[in-house]
Amino acid sequence: MDFQAGILQDGSPMESLEKQLICPICLEMFSKPVVILPCQHNLCRKCANDVFQAANPYWQSRGSLISGGRFRCPSCRHEVLLDRHGVYGLQRNLLVENIIEIYKQECSSRPLKKGEHPMCKEHEDERINIYCVTCEVPTCSMCKVFGAHKDCEVAPLQTVFQGQKTELNNCISMLVAGNDRIQTIISQLEDSCQSTEENSEAAKRELCARFDALAALLEEKKSELLQRISQEQGDKTAFIQSLICQYKEQLEKSSRLVETAIQAAEESGGAAFLMNAKQLIKTIVEASKGGRLEKIEQGYESMDAFSVSLDHLTEAVRTLDFDPAEEDEEYFDGEEEEVEE
C-alpha cells in the first residue's frame, strides 16, 4: 500500500513524522524489516542490501565463505563494516516498524479530501487515473474515451507508477553504489599519495646515505694517496739536501786548497817553495781523484709515478642512475593488477 506525501495538512505533526520515516535510498517509507546502522541511521533492509551488494560485488550470499564487506551510510557517509552475514547481521529497529504500522493505520482511516488527488484539466470532475503510454503523460478516463488520447495506448496509472518508481529506485541505488566506489577510489588515491610521499622521503634518505658513504670512502682514499706522495717527497728532498751538504763541504775544502795553492805559487824563494810544493801537489791530485760525490739520476725529481687516472670513475659517476629493471617490473605488475580488477 502506497501513501503519498501531502495527504495531511502542511505543517501537521503527522507530516513531520512522515518525513522522519522516509528511507534515504528509495525515498519511500521504510519497509519492514528496518535495520539500524552503527551510525544510528535507518535503512530498509532491501535498500541496505542493494547498497552493500553494489559496493561488494564479490560477496555472494548469506553464509558465503567471504569474510564480510563494507559500505558507506548514504546519510552521513560513515563506513559500515559487516561480517559474513551481510545486512542480515544488522539489528532491526522494531520501534520504527511499530511507528510505521501505527502511521499507516492512521492514514488509511482518514478519507481523502477533494483536491488532494490530481484532477484532469479538461474534465474538472475526473480524477487522473490512467497513463497515456503514447504521449507519456497521466490522464483521465474521459480523455481516453472522448478526448485527446482516444487513439493512444494507455496503461493503469498504478502499474506505470510502480514501474517508473522501481526504475528510479534502481537508478538511485546505482548512483549511491557508484558514489561509494568513487569514495573508495578517492581513499585509495589519498593513501597512495601519502605512501608515495613517505616512500620518496625514505628513498632520499637512503640515497643521501649511500652518497655520503661514497664521499667518505673517496676522502679516505685521497688522504692515503696524499700521505704516500708526502712520504716520497720527504725521502727525495732529504736525500737531495744531504747531497747539497756534501757538495758544499767539498766546495769549501776545494776553495781552501785553491787559496793555499795560490799562496804557494806566489812564493818567490825556491827553497821555501820546494819544501811545501811536493806535498801540496800530492794533496791536490788526491783531492781531484777522491773528491767525486754521489749524483742523482736524471728525472729523479719527477713524481709521475704517483699519477692517478680517475676517468673511469668519472664516467661511472656521470652514468650513475637508478636501476630501471625494478621500477619497470613494479609498473607492469600494477598494470596487470588493474587489468585483473
Side-chain angles (χ1 to χ4, degrees):
M1 182 176 183
D2 297 311
F3 297 88
Q4 302 175 1
I7 195 171
L8 301 174
Q9 296 180 357
D10 294 339
S12 66
M14 294 297 287
E15 183 181 15
S16 300
L17 176 62
E18 179 184 359
K19 293 180 180 179
Q20 300 298 322
L21 300 178
I22 299 298
C23 174
I25 298 297
C26 62
L27 302 180
E28 289 290 325
M29 191 170 296
F30 290 117
S31 61
K32 293 192 301 184
V34 181
V35 294
I36 307 177
L37 301 182
C39 56
Q40 302 303 313
H41 290 110
N42 298 293
L43 290 177
C44 304
R45 176 179 287 176
K46 179 181 180 304
C47 296
N49 191 59
D50 291 341
V51 176
F52 175 70
Q53 292 285 351
N56 303 270
Y58 298 106
W59 195 90
Q60 299 175 357
S61 62
R62 195 175 176 185
S64 173
L65 296 177
I66 298 179
S67 60
R70 64 184 65 191
F71 69 97
R72 294 187 180 275
C73 173
S75 297
C76 65
R77 307 304 299 163
H78 176 80
E79 189 174 49
V80 181
L81 300 178
L82 301 181
D83 57 14
R84 61 187 182 86
H85 299 290
V87 297
Y88 293 92
L90 294 173
Q91 183 179 0
R92 289 178 58 179
N93 195 335
L94 298 179
L95 177 61
V96 173
E97 294 180 13
N98 294 333
I99 293 175
I100 291 175
E101 288 298 326
I102 296 174
Y103 178 82
K104 289 182 178 180
Q105 293 176 6
E106 177 68 20
C107 291
S108 62
S109 64
R110 294 175 60 88
L112 291 174
K113 299 179 180 179
K114 185 177 181 181
E116 291 181 348
H117 193 286
M119 308 299 290
C120 180
K121 294 181 179 180
E122 300 294 332
H123 309 89
E124 297 180 355
D125 296 332
E126 293 293 330
R127 296 171 56 185
I128 295 179
N129 56 359
I130 59 175
Y131 185 83
C132 179
V133 179
T134 304
C135 301
E136 298 183 344
V137 294
T139 185
C140 70
S141 301
M142 295 298 294
C143 290
K144 168 59 181 171
V145 178
F146 304 105
H149 302 284
K150 62 181 180 179
D151 297 328
C152 299
E153 180 184 356
V154 296
L157 185 66
Q158 191 66 19
T159 302
V160 179
F161 166 74
Q162 291 295 340
Q164 291 193 2
K165 178 167 286 190
T166 300
E167 184 179 356
L168 179 60
N169 291 337
N170 293 335
C171 292
I172 293 174
S173 300
M174 184 169 55
L175 285 176
V176 171
N179 292 341
D180 191 68
R181 285 194 295 269
I182 292 175
Q183 183 62 42
T184 301
I185 294 174
I186 292 174
S187 300
Q188 292 176 349
L189 291 175
E190 291 176 348
D191 293 341
S192 298
C193 183
Q194 182 178 359
S195 299
T196 300
E197 294 177 354
E198 293 175 354
N199 294 337
S200 298
E201 293 300 324
K204 290 177 181 178
R205 289 193 297 269
E206 181 182 358
L207 183 65
C208 291
R210 293 190 176 185
F211 269 84
D212 292 342
L214 180 59
L217 179 61
L218 290 174
E219 190 66 26
E220 180 181 357
K221 194 64 177 178
K222 183 181 73 172
S223 299
E224 177 187 345
L225 296 179
L226 288 175
Q227 181 64 29
R228 290 173 57 184
I229 294 176
S230 299
Q231 182 65 35
E232 183 70 12
Q233 175 188 355
D235 294 342
K236 287 188 174 183
T237 54
F239 177 71
I240 295 175
Q241 289 292 340
S242 66
L243 291 182
I244 292 174
C245 292
Q246 294 176 20
Y247 275 97
K248 284 183 177 181
E249 292 177 358
Q250 178 69 24
L251 179 60
E252 186 178 354
K253 291 179 180 180
S254 179
S255 297
R256 289 197 301 266
L257 190 58
V258 169
E259 292 178 359
T260 303
I262 292 174
Q263 292 177 358
E266 292 177 351
E267 183 65 41
S268 59
F273 175 80
L274 292 175
M275 287 179 63
N276 298 319
K278 187 174 182 179
Q279 183 61 37
L280 181 60
I281 293 173
K282 183 180 179 180
T283 301
I284 293 174
V285 172
E286 290 178 356
S288 62
K289 290 181 178 180
R292 296 178 181 178
L293 301 177
E294 186 178 0
K295 298 180 181 180
I296 59 174
E297 299 177 357
Q298 185 176 2
Y300 179 80
E301 68 280 0
S302 174
M303 302 295 284
D304 294 341
F306 294 93
S307 176
V308 176
S309 176
L310 299 178
D311 294 342
H312 60 293
L313 292 180
T314 303
E315 186 63 25
V317 171
R318 286 177 179 172
T319 59
L320 188 63
D321 200 352
F322 299 105
D323 186 7
E326 184 176 351
E327 294 182 356
D328 293 343
E329 183 178 355
E330 294 178 356
Y331 175 77
F332 289 118
D333 288 344
E335 283 190 340
E336 292 176 359
E337 292 178 358
E338 291 179 359
V339 172
E340 292 177 358
E341 293 177 356

